Amino acid sequence: MNKRVYLLTIVSFVVGLVELILGGILHLVASDLNVTLGQVGMLISIFSFVFALSGPILLSATAKIERKKLTLITLVVFLFANILAVVSSGYWILLLARMISAMSAALLISLCVTIASNIVSEPYRARAIGIVFMGVSASLVLGVPIGLLLGNAFGWRAPFILIVLLTGLSILFVALFMEKITPKPSIPLIQQLKSLKNTKIILIQLTSFLFLAGHLTLYAYLTPFLQSIGIDGNWISMMYLLFGIAAIIGGGIGGLLSDRFGPQKTIIGVISLFTVAIFSIPLTTAFMPLFIVVMMVWSLLSWAITPAMQSYLIASAPETSDIQQSLNNSALHFGIAFGSMSGGLVIERSTVEMNAIVGSLFALLALIVIGFSMKKSLQPKPQEADLAYKKAN
């Protein structure tokens, strides 16, 4: 494996930290900027919306620029955005910083994935992409506890100072160790969107959107939820640590289940159990050991679905699987945005305990949608299935 893939993974991890890093310190930001929890939650939603829209557009717009140069320029913009977040004196400046950060982050993640696939030989291409996405997944899982730990100790700006420092190191490492990479012809955005004419593919992408929306409806507001049931201080940090461990384990278990039982059965099973788990969370708070177990199951399942969904996409659209992976990334971030926005509306109009109920309804919708995608009339033809098997293996 080309060692530069691991450098790209580090970059993707640093960049990915920004998206959910506010999740654990909503109350600190709200108190300092004199806004509501829902308004701070919108900073997550807006970031994810901008991220989801920017990735494919910016990648197509910058297709002719040499990749190392583009990576360095985008990292500098990302650095500026997070310095702006550190020095922001009000909500609207922080919002602007989040939008600039989201656009540069979206392009950087897309660059990391495409560069990784281009600098390795064909047999290692899928593995290289998987390693880069491990950096993204790890950042989404660890972003909240890192933000919570630093925020509680040094104030809500401290997590952004860490990101500024890590981004500076990333710029240095890319400048020193990344070779110049000639850009390859990119897939036009129109062609990417045309691939969504397939009803089955639309349903699979919609499932990813709804599932992440359900998860973020509660996860984006987990700190106020934990505070509402009497958990505070270091115990909240402990809960996030347990959550993160379970999520990382979940990714591995999801891959094993998909290999053992197939992606379709795994997806149905994971979404079903996830729906029950997130719905049960408010019902288990009276008995803390049970609550911790249910919370860890919820976390484990939230990432266990990813390998199965990727395999299902490849099998369902082998001829456009590369495009679908990119669009699925956008669908996931639209889900994060919609879920955190929905959670903010719920917490503003009701109580934070209702976030889990609303999240379970989104998950139930995801289960219904993925069920429709598995109808016999939408299954690929035998020759397409053979091609899918060869591409997946």
Side-chain angles (χ1 to χ4, degrees):
M1 179 68 67
N2 191 312
K3 291 182 179 179
R4 288 176 294 170
V5 171
Y6 300 104
L7 173 58
L8 294 168
T9 303
I10 294 171
V11 172
S12 69
F13 173 78
V14 173
V15 171
L17 281 175
V18 179
E19 183 160 14
L20 298 180
I21 206 161
L22 287 175
I25 52 175
L26 295 175
H27 58 299
L28 298 177
V29 181
S31 176
D32 186 51
L33 299 183
N34 195 28
V35 294
T36 65
L37 287 174
Q39 286 176 300
V40 182
M42 282 296 292
L43 293 174
I44 300 175
S45 302
I46 290 171
F47 182 102
S48 299
F49 270 125
V50 173
F51 187 108
L53 287 171
S54 300
I57 295 173
L58 291 177
L59 193 61
S60 296
T62 57
K64 296 181 180 180
I65 303 176
E66 190 272 317
R67 302 338 250 168
K68 177 181 177 178
K69 178 181 177 181
L70 180 60
T71 301
L72 286 171
I73 292 172
T74 313
L75 276 169
V76 170
V77 174
F78 184 75
L79 178 69
F80 164 77
N82 286 284
I83 291 174
L84 184 61
V86 172
V87 302
S88 59
S89 57
Y91 179 82
W92 295 107
I93 296 177
L94 183 57
L95 174 62
L96 175 63
R98 294 287 288 173
M99 293 177 68
I100 298 172
S101 172
M103 287 187 284
S104 53
L107 180 55
L108 283 167
I109 295 295
S110 297
L111 282 171
C112 286
V113 172
T114 54
I115 291 173
S117 66
N118 289 332
I119 62 177
V120 297
S121 56
E122 180 68 32
Y124 294 98
R125 189 161 294 167
R127 191 182 307 177
I129 293 173
I131 290 173
V132 172
F133 271 115
M134 280 178 62
V136 179
S137 300
S139 68
L140 293 176
V141 171
L142 298 176
V144 175
I146 288 173
L148 178 65
L149 183 66
L150 292 176
N152 284 336
F154 306 106
W156 70 265
R157 299 174 199 272
F160 290 99
I161 294 175
L162 174 64
I163 290 170
V164 167
L165 295 175
L166 292 176
T167 304
L169 289 174
S170 298
I171 292 171
L172 179 62
F173 290 151
V174 170
L176 291 177
F177 302 114
M178 184 66 68
E179 299 174 1
K180 289 186 177 181
I181 301 169
T182 304
K184 292 187 176 181
S186 64
I187 301 171
L189 188 60
I190 296 298
Q191 186 178 337
Q192 294 186 41
L193 295 176
K194 282 182 179 179
S195 70
L196 291 176
K197 289 181 178 180
N198 187 320
T199 302
K200 183 181 181 70
I201 296 303
I202 292 177
L203 293 174
I204 297 173
Q205 301 287 18
L206 181 58
T207 300
S208 293
F209 166 80
L210 289 169
F211 185 83
L212 259 292
H215 180 53
L216 266 292
T217 299
L218 178 58
Y219 184 61
Y221 301 89
L222 186 57
T223 294
F225 176 79
L226 293 173
Q227 289 173 333
S228 74
I229 62 175
I231 299 174
D232 217 331
N234 291 333
W235 282 106
I236 291 182
S237 299
M238 181 60 69
M239 289 294 181
Y240 274 109
L241 176 62
L242 293 173
F243 195 99
I245 292 171
I248 293 170
I249 293 172
I253 290 177
L256 293 173
L257 291 174
S258 184
D259 289 341
R260 176 68 177 83
F261 300 105
Q264 294 190 23
K265 289 181 179 179
T266 300
I267 292 168
I268 291 292
V270 167
I271 297 180
S272 298
L273 292 175
F274 177 90
T275 304
V276 173
I278 192 172
F279 180 84
S280 303
I281 284 175
L283 308 177
T284 61
T285 54
F287 186 54
M288 194 53 56
L290 179 60
F291 169 74
I292 292 173
V293 170
V294 173
M295 188 190 74
M296 291 186 71
V297 170
W298 164 45
S299 173
L300 186 149
L301 294 170
S302 67
W303 286 101
I305 195 173
T306 304
M309 288 297 293
Q310 298 299 321
S311 297
Y312 190 32
L313 266 176
I314 291 173
S316 301
E319 68 287 351
T320 60
S321 61
D322 292 342
I323 298 174
Q324 298 311 324
Q325 302 294 316
S326 172
L327 293 175
N328 188 246
N329 190 42
S330 291
L332 293 174
H333 285 88
F334 274 127
I336 291 172
F338 188 75
S340 53
M341 182 180 67
S342 299
L345 292 174
V346 173
I347 203 172
E348 290 281 323
R349 299 171 184 266
S350 183
T351 63
V352 70
E353 288 81 5
M354 281 299 297
N355 285 50
I357 308 301
V358 174
S360 67
L361 293 177
F362 282 130
L364 184 60
L365 282 175
L367 183 63
I368 293 170
V369 170
I370 202 66
F372 278 116
S373 79
M374 296 176 186
K375 290 173 61 177
K376 288 184 177 180
S377 60
L378 296 179
Q379 297 309 304
K381 297 175 182 178
Q383 61 270 29
E384 294 175 342
D386 290 340
L387 181 58
Y389 178 82
K390 290 177 183 177
K391 192 170 184 72
N393 293 277

